[in-house]
Amino acid sequence: MDVALYIIVLLVYFAVMIFIGVKNQRSAKSVHGYVLGGRSVGPWLSAFAYGTSYFSAVIFIGYAGQFGWNFGIAATWIGIGNAVLGSLLAWAVLGRRTRVMTQQLDSATMPDYFGKRFSDDKLKIAASVIIFIFLIPYTASLYKGLGSLFAMAFDIPYWVCILIMAAVTAVYVLIGGYMATVWNDFIQGIIMLFGIVIIVVAVLMSRGGLMEALTQLSQISSGDMQGAYTSFFGPDLYGLIMVVILTSLGTWGLPQMVQKFYAIKSEGAIKKGMIISTVFALVVAGGCYFLGGFGRLFMEDASAGYDSIIPAMLSESLPVVLIALVLILVVSASMSTLSSLVMSSSSTLTLDLIKGVKKDLKPKSQMFLIRLFVAMFIVISAVIAIVYDAYGLSFIAQMMGVSWGALAGAFLAPYLFSLYWKKTSRASCWACFAFGVATSIAALVISLCSASLPASFIDSFIYKYFFGSSIYVGAWTMLAGFVIVPVVSLFTGKQKTEEKNKLDKLFKPFEELTEAVETAADGYLTKELEPYVLREPSESAEQFEDDEKEGESPANIER
């Protein structure tokens, strides 16, 4: 009877996802419509798309269990950091700059932005290769946690769960493109919001309420530290800070996250989206990590793996109906992030790598290739996840750990500086790319060879606080970029007259009219400001398609 309920709920859910894909196929007739939704996505859809791409099953099952176990209630700080630094400040600092500048450059992906911003096609290709290499293992990591949860509910093979989820995601993304993705993200986000609140309440009630659960948790010591897991900063402050930096600041440099700002439709939508996204992150991320903090009340040790902690809590605390809700929540979290990642990967590979080599690639061929790569990325990530589970290949698991740090370490600093500082040089961008990738690969090699490393190195300061964890490596690699980019730019930032004129035009909306544009967003618009204010696109999907066939830019800023 229980299994029948789970199957019915999942089938209804999958049917809704596919219906939305079919409903939005009209918006996916052109390249810009398929990849960016015609840059016409409103604040609610954009904010939920950002949030659901941010938080996947890795967060709910893996990270909540792992960091809740390590830090206790202090893990809640990670969720707060995700909301304030990863959402609020990300939208405030990157939102409008990204939207206006990418529209002026007519760029649809992060590599394309780098190539046009620095007038270097080789830079675009390099960024595409980095994304291609590191997004695949990151995509595969989304399936982590699903196996143990589905085994608890259905007692069916892990690979079956993966194939079902991959197939449904492929159908609605292939048919409906970006608009199908954001509409599904909206529904999935609502499920995540209500689901996490209900689950936290139910788990705490199973332990006598919040105060009783905290009292029980305070009895558990960490070494000589009594009450470590209910303390303000937990038993490992350094580790906690590194996790907050990696999971919060890292989103600023991830292509699938930044791309959400490309598609938002207007100035006011950015401000509303910022607030909605922050609240979403506070509830979902804060709730997940807060829940994970009570893991030690349900398991005596984590020898079965961190991924087993949250399922153990849920199976002991929740009735059948709520476990069905959890299944939908976890599948929603995974599918939303999976769709975002494969869209980012496939569009980058087609528009930046292949089109960068074959300049005369027609729009219909681009559409075919993007859809082909969407399917390919989903298949490859599913195969990697199945192989990892079947053979326990540690290389894949560790590769997943470095993916986030490598991507954000390579892209974050050059992207942020290039939005605000004219003198950011292409050499500094190359330097950051090289440093981020090389450091992440070095950390992966050291991790794989840790058993054969000398004890003196294992006990050293640099290993303990830098190479000792992929989280430490990722966080420090990102922070190092804030030194590399300005230092290298100061020595290599000399610009030719033509380049200087291009940058002056590109930065004009921000340097001369910032305060006035903000006023214009509230309804006070003068003739001089009209070229610089984000407008809601009026063109239909067919118009975008016609523009592309004629070789015209679909950008909406009036020149």
Side-chain angles (χ1 to χ4, degrees):
M1 184 64 181
D2 295 350
V3 174
L5 174 64
Y6 301 150
I7 292 175
I8 291 171
V9 170
L10 285 174
L11 287 177
V12 171
Y13 173 75
F14 290 151
V16 172
M17 299 297 102
I18 294 172
F19 172 77
I20 289 174
V22 174
K23 193 73 175 175
N24 283 278
Q25 62 181 327
R26 185 171 174 270
S27 67
K29 291 183 178 180
S30 67
V31 174
H32 273 263
Y34 189 85
V35 175
L36 294 177
R39 295 186 188 265
S40 60
V41 185
W44 282 91
L45 293 183
S46 294
F48 273 66
Y50 184 91
T52 54
S53 297
Y54 196 164
F55 309 116
S56 67
V58 177
I59 300 290
F60 182 70
I61 299 294
Y63 282 1
Q66 177 182 350
F67 300 138
W69 185 272
N70 292 337
F71 306 127
I73 297 302
T76 310
W77 284 110
I78 305 171
I80 296 172
N82 291 170
V84 176
L85 184 57
S87 297
L88 179 67
L89 287 180
W91 278 74
V93 175
L94 301 179
R96 182 174 186 270
R97 288 260 174 176
T98 295
R99 179 62 172 80
V100 173
M101 199 170 285
T102 58
Q103 194 166 13
Q104 291 187 89
L105 293 171
D106 190 23
S107 60
T109 64
M110 183 179 276
D112 191 38
Y113 167 80
F114 280 126
K116 291 178 177 177
R117 167 66 173 81
F118 296 102
S119 303
D120 187 349
D121 284 341
K122 292 180 180 178
L123 198 63
K124 177 174 73 172
I125 293 172
S128 303
V129 172
I130 293 171
I131 291 173
F132 174 73
I133 292 172
F134 288 100
L135 270 192
I136 286 182
Y138 181 28
T139 304
S141 70
L142 298 178
Y143 299 104
K144 290 183 64 179
L146 282 176
S148 54
L149 194 63
F150 271 74
M152 176 186 74
F154 298 108
D155 193 24
I156 60 176
Y158 174 64
W159 64 270
V160 175
C161 309
I162 290 177
L163 292 182
I164 292 172
M165 194 186 81
V168 175
T169 305
V171 169
Y172 77 72
V173 175
L174 287 171
I175 294 174
Y178 188 80
M179 288 306 298
T181 299
V182 296
W183 272 108
N184 276 322
D185 287 347
F186 182 70
I187 294 174
Q188 290 158 350
I190 292 173
I191 294 171
M192 292 166 67
L193 275 175
F194 285 98
I196 192 62
V197 172
I198 293 171
I199 290 164
V200 169
V201 172
V203 170
L204 290 179
M205 292 303 293
S206 73
R207 284 295 182 268
L210 175 61
M211 297 311 298
E212 178 60 27
L214 287 173
T215 301
Q216 294 175 29
L217 191 62
S218 68
Q219 306 303 314
I220 303 173
S221 61
S222 174
D224 297 330
M225 185 177 178
Q226 187 69 31
Y229 300 106
T230 55
S231 62
F232 198 65
F233 291 122
D236 181 10
L237 179 58
Y238 174 76
L240 180 63
I241 292 173
M242 290 294 101
V243 174
V244 171
I245 292 173
L246 182 68
T247 61
S248 302
L249 191 61
T251 59
W252 295 36
L254 296 180
Q256 76 276 11
M257 301 299 296
V258 174
Q259 196 168 357
K260 299 299 183 290
F261 301 131
Y262 291 28
I264 199 165
K265 68 180 180 179
S266 65
E267 189 84 19
I270 292 175
K271 295 179 180 179
K272 292 176 184 175
M274 175 177 66
I275 297 170
I276 298 165
S277 177
T278 303
V279 174
F280 182 91
L282 194 61
V283 174
V284 174
C288 284
Y289 289 115
F290 179 73
L291 175 68
F294 293 95
R296 289 177 180 269
L297 297 183
F298 296 84
M299 293 182 68
E300 293 184 1
D301 60 66
S303 56
Y306 292 121
D307 288 355
S308 64
I309 295 173
I310 298 296
M313 296 173 67
L314 301 179
S315 63
E316 186 177 332
S317 307
L318 305 184
V320 174
V321 174
L322 289 186
I323 290 179
L325 175 64
V326 172
L327 286 172
I328 297 298
L329 187 155
V330 174
V331 172
S332 296
S334 298
M335 290 176 67
S336 57
T337 308
L338 176 62
S339 61
S340 177
L341 288 172
V342 297
M343 282 289 292
S344 181
S345 303
S346 59
S347 59
T348 291
L349 196 57
T350 302
L351 301 179
D352 302 322
L353 198 56
I354 296 177
K355 192 182 176 185
V357 176
K358 188 176 175 58
K359 303 289 186 182
D360 59 344
L361 192 65
K362 294 181 179 180
K364 284 187 177 179
S365 298
Q366 294 175 38
M367 288 292 298
F368 172 77
L369 287 174
I370 291 173
R371 284 190 162 101
L372 177 65
F373 288 130
V374 164
M376 186 189 78
F377 277 115
I378 290 176
V379 169
I380 292 175
S381 61
V383 169
I384 291 175
I386 292 171
V387 170
Y388 165 68
D389 179 71
Y391 298 100
L393 299 181
S394 60
F395 172 81
I396 295 175
Q398 288 160 317
M399 185 73 174
M400 292 171 186
V402 250
S403 292
W404 185 302
L407 289 164
F411 297 144
L412 192 158
Y415 183 75
L416 180 61
F417 274 98
S418 67
L419 288 176
Y420 282 87
W421 190 30
K422 291 182 185 178
K423 293 185 178 180
T424 306
S425 69
R426 67 172 59 89
S428 70
C429 198
W430 278 111
C432 212
F433 281 13
F435 178 81
V437 173
T439 304
S440 298
I441 292 175
L444 178 62
V445 172
I446 290 173
S447 176
L448 292 171
C449 301
S450 58
S452 58
L453 293 174
S456 57
F457 180 69
I458 297 294
D459 295 333
S460 66
F461 179 86
I462 190 170
Y463 183 86
K464 185 176 180 181
Y465 292 101
F466 187 83
F467 288 110
S469 166
S470 60
I471 292 170
Y472 301 167
V473 175
W476 283 115
T477 302
M478 288 190 305
L479 295 175
F482 289 102
V483 177
I484 293 171
V485 171
V487 169
V488 174
S489 294
L490 289 174
F491 289 98
T492 62
K494 190 175 181 180
Q495 300 165 347
K496 296 179 180 179
T497 303
E498 182 181 349
E499 186 179 2
K500 188 176 183 300
N501 291 338
K502 170 192 168 183
L503 291 174
D504 286 342
K505 183 178 179 180
L506 193 62
F507 278 80
K508 187 176 181 180
F510 311 114
E511 294 180 342
E512 297 183 3
L513 301 169
T514 301
E515 186 175 332
V517 167
E518 290 176 355
T519 304
D522 295 324
Y524 301 96
L525 181 64
T526 64
K527 186 176 180 180
E528 292 77 12
L529 295 178
E530 288 184 358
Y532 306 110
V533 178
L534 297 182
R535 295 185 173 279
E536 298 186 11
S538 58
E539 292 92 340
S540 64
E542 289 83 0
Q543 182 63 49
F544 278 119
E545 188 173 20
D546 292 341
D547 289 345
E548 287 182 337
K549 288 179 180 178
E550 296 170 10
E552 298 176 1
S553 167
N556 298 313
I557 288 184
E558 296 181 8
R559 303 291 182 182

